[in-house]
Amino acid sequence: MSLIEGETGKWEVVIGLEVHAQVISRSKLFSGASTAYGAAPNSQVSLVDAAMPGMLPVLNRECVAQAVRTGLGLKAKINLTSVFERKNYFYADLPQGYQISQFKHPIVGEGTLTIDLPDGSTRDIGIERLHLEQDAGKSLHDQDPRRTFVDLNRAGVALMEIVSKPDIRSAEEAGAYIRKLRSILRYLGTCDGNMEEGSLRCDVNLSVRRPGEPLGTRTETKNVNSIRFVQQAIEYEARRQIEVLEAGGTIEQETRLFDSRKGESRSMRSKEEAHDYRYFPDPDLLPLVLEQSYVDELAAALPELPDEKKRRFMEDYGLSAYDAGVLVAEQANAAFYEAVLDGGKRDPKLAANWVTVNYFGALNASGVGLAEAPIDAKKLGGLLDLIADGTVSSRLAKEVFEAMWESGKDAATIVEEKGLKQITDESAIEALVDKVIAENPAQVEQYAGGENPKVIGWFVGQVMKASQGKANPGAVNQILKRKLGG
Amino acid sequence: MTSPTHMTLAQARDALAKREMSARELAEAHLAAVEAARPLNAFTVETPEKALSMAEASDERLAKGEGRPLEGIPLGIKDLFCTEGVASTAGSRMLKDFKPTYESTVTANLWRDGAVLLGKLNMDEFAMGSSNMTSAYGGVENPWRAEGSDKKLVAGGSSGGSAAAVAARCALGTTGTDTGGSIRQPAAFTGIVGMKPTYGRCSRWGIVSFASSLDQAGPMARSVRDCAILLRSMSGHDPKDSTSIEQPVPDFEKALTGDIRGLKVGIPKEYRVDGMSEELERLWQQGIDWLRAAGAEIIDISLPHTSYALPTYYIVASAEASSNLARYDGVRYGLRVEGDSLDEMYEATRGAGFGREVKRRILIGTYVLSAGYYDAYYNKARQVRTLIARDFGQAYEKVDVILTPTTPGPAFPMGEKMDDPIAMYLNDVFTVPASLAGQPAISVPAGLSEQGLPLGLQLIGRAFDEQTVLRAAGVLEEAAQFTAEPAFVAGA
């Protein structure tokens, strides 16, 4: 448990996150209008989205399937009966004057999300619920000095609100929670997790307490739209609450708005000013009733999710929790790794090392994605094969890899062109060893005298240097020891 | 031949099919009647050009022998239905110049079957009212007059324009909507037949919402048969309305066999309310006698939660209305009154756009849904609603239909009860229970009050059993022989 040191002692931070994840679907939650991002303002607005008189919502089945898939991915209870309710409030970008949401009876109940921490350990964070709701439109306040413009393209797009239990204890865990949630959503194909485009948005509920004491009063910080900002908002709010409490003050239950430029939040409204949303079941929609068989079908079609994949990578391939975690974070990366393994033909640990260190390093350095990378899984596999059969040494393999990245050629071609083939011919190595021994009598004596056993390493280095790195280090070692009489 | 405006819809349909008259002649006669009846203020919009061009298209079809079920039949449409390119005001200042770019499913069904649009009909604002006096476009005058009086009477509401137009022979039929009695009460006040079908029978898509869980479109006409014909065209499952039900649409006209031998008719004791007038008691007894004489079995039943229906209705309907009417905010369409801030614009727009009764219901609805009151009002009302539906369910174990009066009394003078909302709401006391239970119900003119004003009897039936309701209504109609005409009849 990570505690924060205040002026008067240690404090525990208690965090719950509400994540709004935009559902991947072709059309909106209750209308046929498109959900594509980036279209001209108000070009994707149906009569229903604009709340024209007499228009009625019709539930999009695909959005329901996506919510159920997500619930299953969070190992959560799927509620076979759920109810859409109206959340009533006035705003210019809310055409109906209410948001259709779920309140008392959400489609998904309690579940669990396992977060991966940097030290390789994991922690389970409880999921309170997941419900479906409509997004509002967008108010544009910066287009005109006096007027506000409204873009309704987003109005009515399906969101999943995923609410965690107050199980998170630090900014770091909050980051891990969002990363893991995003990973699962992407695996499931239910949300693209793109925070820059707003398809994943986060509200932070936070309170502080002395360890072991009951929960303190919480605040809700809204509008936090990147993992970094979530962590900033947590650090800021935890510090602020501790300062207030240590100065003898009390925390007001309130809603705060995060300002990403300042890295601070400010009070938006107090509990007294809180809206009375007058939730009631939407009489335009019947309760949503699902068959267990429908849920079972969706469950059967789910992909392997990050946790299962990680466990399999550790068990089947002998990978460390850390390596496995890195590989499974993105489904495409895990798939790439397994393509490199080519059905277990190649050494999993060697492959993991090359994929996570060299390959991902090169991707990061060059700023390209997996799909555009000059080296595909087959080519990387070819290089691993040359390492495995001794054609190229591990050291020179890095040089080969760099050349492959530059040229896009396969490993064998590079090795051929650059003459980087490892020398494994014993007689050739013997000749090199003899030469080095002859040229360095002092070191030979040192070795023989047993004064410094590490001197063998020096000899290996000399021989490797003489071979321009191409000699097989194992063979060099063996021959040296024999010749020096170890 | 009867004057075209005095025919029933069925008679006109048959005359058109036999080419005894043209659809154009029929439309012209009705357009003239609409014009003559202007003092009633039944229409908010007249669409003579549209009517004539639709009628001509019908004549072409009829000439080719390709007439559809309502080919050439001139109808009026309640202004709550959105009609493409034709102002659809919902009786409100808020939607004064609103011309939808879309056509409601029910009206689209009527045009699909060949009907002709005469115009849009006046109504209580957003269908909230029992007198048609809450319309932003003025009250609708009932074509009837009490004997020896020239006092103008209300046509009832909220479908007052629809009722008056039919009663005054301006249209062969009209559409209405019924949330708590808005078809049946004005039908009773004007001596015509009006039916609220089962909730979910007609699509609500394109009808301006008042209370979504109660609103239902239905036909108004001068005979049970005419209502049956219209209902068939109006009905049908609509994938655009999640509450419309996938049920086959029967040929309702075929249900009118005139044979109700063995039919079990329930008489609910709770409808014998305190202070019920003698003439109403007599009328009800007369209805019982007629049905018994036709071979029905009369059975006394109990609907124990009836007395809670009215408050339950006003809580549920107002709650839904407060939310449904939130979209009229001046931002996208309809009236906008500018203000210095968004909130000021909302206040100015909604203050100017809504009338008193609408504001009253928005306030009631907002109150009953608000934190701390939700359980005591809205949630309790939902629970009571379930009990009311259960009452009916239990009754239908013993009976097939239920016979009651439609209204506590005949049409009242315009301007009365306006400052006493409770007295006004009591108009719906016999009609709201069936609305809360979602059941089909019809009002049939059954006789005249001592002052010579029409009174209606109501038949309520099982969900999606409009056929039995219509069959019994047909027998009632036949027995009642209601031939009295109102004081004002257009084109007589």
Side-chain angles (χ1 to χ4, degrees), chain A residues 47 50-58 86 88 90-92 95-98 104 276 278-281 283-284 286, chain B residues 98 102 204-207 212 239-243 323-324 326-328 332-333 346 350 366 369-371 374 378 382:
Chain A
L47 295 168
M52 299 303 284
M55 292 299 99
L56 299 171
V58 178
R86 293 184 183 177
N88 295 284
F90 283 95
Y91 202 63
Q96 295 165 136
Y98 54 84
K104 281 188 192 146
D276 180 356
R278 290 171 280 121
Y279 279 100
F280 75 107
D284 286 333
L286 303 172
Chain B
F98 178 65
Y102 47 92
R204 295 187 295 111
W205 193 88
I207 301 173
S212 308
K240 289 188 288 188
D241 173 4
S242 309
T243 61
S323 178
N324 280 335
R327 65 187 56 200
Y328 306 106
R332 299 168 312 287
Y333 53 79
Y346 286 153
R350 291 168 67 83
T366 304
L369 285 176
S370 58
Y374 181 92
Y378 182 72
R382 268 164 59 94

Side-chain angles (χ1 to χ4, degrees), chain A residues 181-252:
Chain A
L181 179 59
R182 188 171 59 179
S183 170
I184 291 173
L185 295 171
R186 285 177 172 163
Y187 265 71
L188 292 166
T190 57
C191 170
D192 67 21
N194 194 331
M195 294 186 95
E196 296 78 58
E197 289 175 8
S199 39
L200 202 69
R201 310 196 283 270
C202 195
D203 299 338
V204 179
N205 287 300
L206 185 146
S207 63
V208 298
R209 63 176 172 188
R210 299 288 191 187
E213 285 188 357
L215 289 174
T217 304
R218 67 182 164 83
T219 62
E220 181 180 14
T221 305
K222 283 195 171 294
N223 194 30
V224 212
N225 295 330
S226 81
I227 293 176
R228 193 165 61 89
F229 294 154
V230 167
Q231 295 184 328
Q232 264 181 22
I234 288 171
E235 303 284 2
Y236 175 85
E237 182 59 13
R239 189 51 67 190
R240 188 189 70 83
Q241 290 190 13
I242 290 168
E243 276 169 19
V244 169
L245 292 171
E246 290 194 328
T250 51
I251 301 303
E252 299 293 321

Side-chain angles (χ1 to χ4, degrees), chain A residues 326-327 332-340 350-384 387 397-398 400-402 404-406 408-409:
Chain A
V326 170
L327 285 170
N333 293 350
F336 179 82
Y337 170 68
E338 294 211 278
V340 171
L350 181 72
N353 201 39
W354 272 88
V355 170
T356 58
V357 179
N358 305 73
Y359 194 82
F360 291 167
L363 284 180
N364 279 342
S366 57
V368 297
L370 207 49
E372 307 90 54
I375 301 180
D376 61 13
K378 206 176 152 205
K379 284 182 182 151
L380 183 59
L383 175 59
L384 296 189
I387 298 169
K398 293 189 177 97
V400 176
F401 179 81
E402 277 164 27
M404 289 167 73
W405 195 270
E406 286 292 314
K409 291 176 183 165

